[in-house]
Amino acid sequence: MPAQKLYAGAKLRSLRTRVGLTQKDFAAKLGISLPYLNQMENNNRPLSTAVLLGLAQDFGADVTEFAASDTDRLLSDMREALADPIFADAAPALADLRLTASNAPSLARAFLELHRAYRQTHERLASLDEALGQQTSATASPWEEVRDFFHYTDNYVDAVDRAAERFAARASGDLAAHAQSVLADRGVTLRHAAGEGVRHYDPATRVLTLSPRAAPETQRFQLLHQYALLGQHDLIEATLDLARFQSDTAREIARIGMANYFAGACLMPYTRFAEAAQDTRHDLERLAIAFEASIEQIAHRLSTLQRPQAKGIPFFFARVDQAGTVTKRHSATLLQFARFGGACPLWNVHQAFETPGRFLRQLAETPDGARYVILARDVSKSGGAWGSPTRRYAISLGCEVRHAAALVYADGLDLNRESAFQPIGISCRICERANCHQRAVPPLERRLSVDPNRRGTLPYEVAP
């Protein structure tokens, strides 16, 4: 009899699986009942001396293998891994760890291997960030933290969206007048004057200044934004509390994002906008006229239609500047945007700057085999006066090709022709395509072959 009770259910189960026997047959071989074997395999009962002898005689098992338990080592390693700050609010209780180490050691080892790989990858990215002149801190930048928050909510915040829909319903159609009236009830005075940016609010005097140079839809949006900060303060703060941002800076950025979200949801109330989008087959120009919004506002709103039980088409939306930097990004599709670097040069959004005022269509396929219908358009914004700089942007809106029938922009496209789909990537550093003629830099994870006696499209070849 062992000096202490021996629980080795996982090893017992592993041996039975290795010899290819069912629990019933294995129990019969050992001369014990099926329930007793089941209890031992689940660590509800310890292995008896008779069972250990049976394992040795009938299956040639090394009894010392069962006696040498690595449960404590696994438990220690898991506790160390779970001390990582990323698990600060999700570390399991010690009792749960003991159960995992004893009952599911393979799962415990898989977790430890995954955490090891994460740490190695994190260290590699930190080195890469340093080389690229990017942030090296283990903590995400406030901007990225906020971007991730909206990304993981599918760019849809239910409480804020519904509050905006109720506010719009009370406006009786004239949102600007209603917002101005509500702000006036709070003692806020509205004036229009140039020279203070698009919007400026002075908490001391309670004066809200809007630029008369801004487009009418921009002025209305900024009016609703300011109302959100004042009239929906409690709702926004409660939402920010749930997000649990790591810094005050991230919270401040998110507060602006929430006010923008509220303003957009007021201009384009969810139910009415979703119905109009479906009726017009997502015609951005018709929607812009119907909701007195800009093309960019319409495209962005389409990417937020993810209300449970009333979801719209899952779109990705991005805004790009002339240098190719993605300044706004969200995706409810499989396509995800790279955090660093520019966008794929084969993406039609870059061509939109060459054709201002026109929509460009593209059928594209990403390296994972997913296919998309992509729309791009220049949305450059005038400064509103001679000599004022023009802000140059283009937007991209896309969805998987299976939704093409719901898009007016897909009419006439040859969706069944393989060659109609242009191969695009996410960014050169993470794209695995070996034969791309527009590749700017080699892929990070691939080996290169360099032959000074040969020159193809690129001065190197990407090894398989």
Side-chain angles (χ1 to χ4, degrees), residues 16-30:
R16 177 176 61 79
T17 303
R18 196 161 62 241
V19 298
L21 293 178
T22 64
Q23 277 192 329
K24 181 179 179 181
D25 293 338
F26 196 62
K29 282 275 190 181
L30 292 173

Side-chain angles (χ1 to χ4, degrees), residues 170-439:
R170 294 192 295 268
S172 301
D174 194 339
L175 272 172
H178 181 59
Q180 188 173 345
S181 174
V182 173
L183 285 171
D185 291 342
R186 292 175 169 270
V188 177
T189 301
L190 175 66
R191 74 183 185 100
H192 292 82
E196 295 192 62
V198 177
R199 171 181 55 85
H200 177 260
Y201 176 69
D202 187 338
T205 61
R206 302 185 74 80
V207 172
L208 172 63
T209 303
L210 297 180
S211 172
R213 297 178 180 176
E217 60 267 23
T218 299
Q219 292 188 43
R220 188 168 55 147
F221 185 90
Q222 293 300 328
L223 188 65
L224 291 166
H225 177 104
Q226 192 62 53
Y227 164 74
L229 291 175
L230 299 175
Q232 297 293 328
H233 174 271
D234 292 345
L235 173 61
I236 289 177
E237 292 304 311
T239 305
L240 297 177
D241 287 342
L242 291 174
R244 302 170 75 174
F245 292 109
Q246 297 181 29
S247 69
D248 291 339
T249 302
R251 188 180 178 102
E252 292 295 330
I253 294 172
R255 183 178 292 108
I256 295 173
M258 285 293 178
N260 282 337
Y261 187 102
F262 183 90
C266 281
L267 288 171
M268 297 157 278
Y270 194 101
T271 303
R272 186 159 63 90
F273 183 79
E275 292 174 352
Q278 185 174 6
D279 292 342
T280 62
R281 297 181 63 217
H282 302 84
D283 189 318
L284 272 65
E285 291 175 294
R286 290 178 61 185
L287 290 170
I289 294 171
F291 290 89
E292 299 180 58
S294 69
I295 293 293
E296 180 180 342
Q297 289 170 346
I298 293 295
H300 192 191
R301 182 56 167 158
L302 285 173
S303 75
T304 70
L305 300 183
Q306 296 297 301
R307 179 177 290 181
Q309 284 76 54
K311 290 189 176 185
I313 290 177
F315 283 102
F316 69 76
F317 166 79
R319 189 181 72 180
V320 178
D321 67 15
Q322 281 186 292
T325 304
V326 181
T327 61
K328 285 185 180 179
R329 66 188 78 193
H330 171 67
S331 179
T333 70
L334 293 173
L335 186 147
Q336 302 299 322
F337 301 99
R339 289 176 179 267
F340 305 113
C344 175
L346 299 179
W347 197 9
N348 68 341
V349 68
H350 304 293
Q351 302 169 25
F353 291 106
E354 303 169 11
T355 56
R358 289 178 52 195
F359 286 98
L360 300 181
R361 303 183 299 173
Q362 181 181 33
L363 294 176
E365 180 177 352
T366 49
D368 59 2
R371 291 183 168 182
Y372 300 90
V373 179
I374 302 176
L375 189 67
R377 189 181 191 275
D378 169 87
V379 291
S380 296
K381 301 177 182 180
S382 169
W386 173 258
S388 297
T390 297
R391 301 173 67 195
R392 303 276 291 169
Y393 295 111
I395 59 168
S396 179
L397 185 73
C399 67
E400 292 183 53
V401 74
R402 60 192 174 95
H403 300 292
L407 297 181
V408 66
Y409 302 101
D411 291 353
L413 296 178
D414 190 352
L415 304 178
N416 296 316
R417 182 166 56 89
E418 291 285 326
S419 60
F421 291 85
Q422 185 169 13
I424 67 170
I426 305 304
S427 80
C428 288
R429 292 188 181 279
I430 59 175
C431 181
E432 296 185 355
R433 297 192 190 279
N435 56 351
C436 176
H437 64 283
Q438 282 290 150
R439 178 174 289 284

Side-chain angles (χ1 to χ4, degrees), residues 125-160:
L125 289 176
S127 299
L128 175 63
D129 283 349
E130 183 176 7
L132 295 176
Q134 300 286 353
Q135 177 174 325
T136 59
S137 170
T139 304
S141 73
W143 188 264
E144 289 293 329
E145 190 181 357
V146 174
R147 190 198 74 84
D148 286 347
F149 165 75
F150 281 104
H151 175 72
Y152 289 113
T153 60
D154 266 343
N155 212 22
Y156 174 77
V157 184
D158 190 69
V160 177

